[in-house]
Amino acid sequence: MKNIFIYIVLLWSGLMFSQNEQLAQYYYDKGDFEKAKVSYEQLLNASPSNTQYFLRTVDCYQQLQQFDIAQKAIQERYNRYKQGVFLVELGYNFQLQKNDSKAKNYYDQAIEKIKTNPNDVYGIASSFEKKVLLEYALKAYETAMGIQPNYNFNFQIGMLYGQIGKTDQMIDLLLTESYQNPQNSNLIQTQLARFMNGETDNTAFKDAMRKALILRTQKDQDVFWNHYLSWFYVQQKEFGKAFIQEKAIYKREPESLISIVNLSQFALNEDDTETAVEILNFILSNTQDIDLLIQTNARLMEIKIAKSQEKDYPAINAELQQLLTTYEITPFSLSLQIIQAHFLAFNLKKPEEGKAVIKKALDLNLNEYQRADAKMELGDILLLEEKFNQALIYYSQIQLDLKNDIMSHEASLKAAKTSYYKTDFEWALKQFKELKSANTQLIANDALEYFLLINDNTVADSTQTALKQFAKGDFLIYQNKKPEAIAQFQNILKNFKGQEIEAVTMLRLGKIYESLKDYSSALSQYQQIIDNHSDGIYVDEALFFSAEIYNDELKDTEKAKPLYEKVIFNHQDSIYFVDARKKYRELRGDKNL
């Protein structure tokens, strides 16, 4: 019983102490330094050796301009512990009073302290950095390394060089550190990438990085620098240049293609299909690995199909059949079988043949993920045929078989869209609402779009008449019936002019015209949204999509620039804000807004 009582007292004391700490932090964050001071003094009395409480108490004194009290407290602390960090605190206390000579005296004493006890560098340099006394922090690290050659503060010194504007020295030191200690390369590359993609002007930094890496590649034949230069080009999304480096590496180290395979995926993710195709063809020419050959051919076929026109279909169909003859119908060639099934159903309008391919695949000895892939495609084809309930069965099976997996979320999204296509808006709305918080950003964004679409147009029209017509248009897009979809959306504009559905209908028409490369018609739709629905939720998309057409397709950068600019300054909550800012900066030729 006595032990239980002691435990309860200790637990209660701990809870009260934690609450007092939270209260002190609350006052401090609020700027009520008088109350924060009292709270931190109480905490410090209860825990006198706690440096964090002491420094926060001193900070409160300084915020209240009680510099004499702060000086006395710091001096007493230094006399007791003899730690160099308190010399920095004394100096800073005088700096706040504009007494620079006394401040410098204490800062110099802190540096001298490192000479007698090099271990003090950790606290002293950190204190200098926190107070943005970067030159002194730099001197602290350099002093310690001068005394103890086994100390390595190259990373810290390099980052300080960057912060004080000595970017050439930063780059040189960090690249040298990467080479000498490769285990630190990932950390260093993360920080270099932060400087390259930062908010401030970084064109000069990128140019300096490129020059430094090229020089090292030329002077030193170690493939380490080819790898580093490839990494740099990937950061700049210059995948063609990265590929040149990867080929040079592979020529000297032909053991693995993994870096080149990854590069092909990076290029695909950024829609650089031209470079991706070049890389994939290189992989085909340099491997005998069956899995990699199948994977590479599958990606090439997906690119061909995405770019194809109806006149290309017979050749694509024959090529798919030839590939499956070569690699046979096995679990290893499942990706090609799924591509063939989708092509038969959606492009050649032969859903029965597509389903037959998938059902044959499901008879193979597939693992759970392969089975889910096949079922997903079968559900997609059944949805194409307007067999909504059957499609939902397969999507539901995936959700049950792979709970909490990304494929389960994808199946949930497709199930929600199926309910939407069949105009079961109440159920679809519930599903989209849940998926708004999905871990995968693309799924979450897609779900949010449909949630807003259904919700807004239900509030505007309780009969959901226009929304039903809109869902039919979306389903025609899904069925790859673009002319019919255009006619459907044009009828909506005619019959529901001025209603809530109008802006999003124009947006859909614009995207269809874009896919048909009718950029003039697409721009016309987006311009109507910009002119007539400037206060709506789709104007940021209309601006961004218009800018992309001018920039990427029509090569009219002067018209693209102001459109990107409007997204940046007027729609900072847009999911296109980051991309718009990046493109705008590129067009300006600098990184300043």
Side-chain angles (χ1 to χ4, degrees), residues 62 139 256 518 564:
Q62 291 168 341
K139 193 173 182 181
S256 173
D518 184 354
Y564 285 131

Side-chain angles (χ1 to χ4, degrees), residues 473-517:
D474 268 348
F475 188 56
L476 288 167
I477 294 175
Y478 175 81
Q479 292 177 305
N480 202 23
K481 297 178 179 178
K482 292 178 183 177
E484 294 91 332
I486 289 172
Q488 177 70 14
F489 287 124
Q490 286 175 337
N491 281 332
I492 293 172
L493 291 179
K494 180 181 177 182
N495 296 327
F496 300 95
K497 187 173 180 61
Q499 295 189 23
E500 181 73 28
I501 202 80
E502 187 174 58
V504 69
T505 304
M506 293 171 179
L507 195 72
R508 283 292 196 276
L509 276 169
K511 293 309 289 181
I512 299 172
Y513 287 132
E514 271 195 71
S515 70
L516 296 172
K517 302 191 184 303

Side-chain angles (χ1 to χ4, degrees), residues 269-311:
N269 291 345
E270 295 296 330
D271 294 323
D272 186 354
T273 52
E274 185 177 343
T275 302
V277 168
E278 185 184 356
I279 299 171
L280 291 168
N281 282 321
F282 178 86
I283 295 169
L284 286 182
S285 302
N286 288 278
T287 186
Q288 299 299 317
D289 182 274
I290 295 298
D291 283 348
L292 186 53
L293 284 168
I294 291 171
Q295 175 190 346
T296 304
N297 274 300
R299 286 178 176 170
L300 282 168
M301 291 310 303
E302 286 174 334
I303 294 170
K304 282 184 182 179
I305 292 169
K307 290 189 168 187
S308 67
Q309 297 178 4
E310 198 166 339
K311 63 183 177 60

Side-chain angles (χ1 to χ4, degrees), residues 149-167:
N150 59 321
Y151 279 6
N152 183 355
F153 296 114
N154 285 334
F155 175 76
Q156 291 89 337
I157 292 171
M159 294 307 299
L160 286 168
Y161 280 150
Q163 291 177 69
I164 62 181
K166 297 180 178 179
T167 53

Side-chain angles (χ1 to χ4, degrees), residues 430-476:
K430 290 178 182 176
Q431 292 174 298
F432 286 130
K433 185 176 182 180
E434 290 178 8
L435 286 165
K436 284 194 301 174
S437 56
N439 292 332
T440 308
Q441 194 61 48
L442 286 174
I443 290 175
N445 289 344
D446 214 356
L448 176 61
E449 178 190 340
Y450 280 95
F451 176 83
L452 293 173
L453 171 70
I454 295 171
N455 192 61
D456 292 351
N457 286 283
T458 299
V459 171
D461 176 14
S462 60
T463 65
Q464 298 176 324
T465 305
L467 186 59
K468 288 174 184 175
Q469 294 299 310
F470 190 88
K472 183 179 178 182
D474 268 348
F475 188 56
L476 288 167

Side-chain angles (χ1 to χ4, degrees), residues 419-431:
S419 298
Y420 163 73
Y421 292 143
K422 62 187 286 197
T423 68
D424 184 356
F425 298 129
E426 184 178 355
W427 179 241
L429 194 65
K430 290 178 182 176
Q431 292 174 298

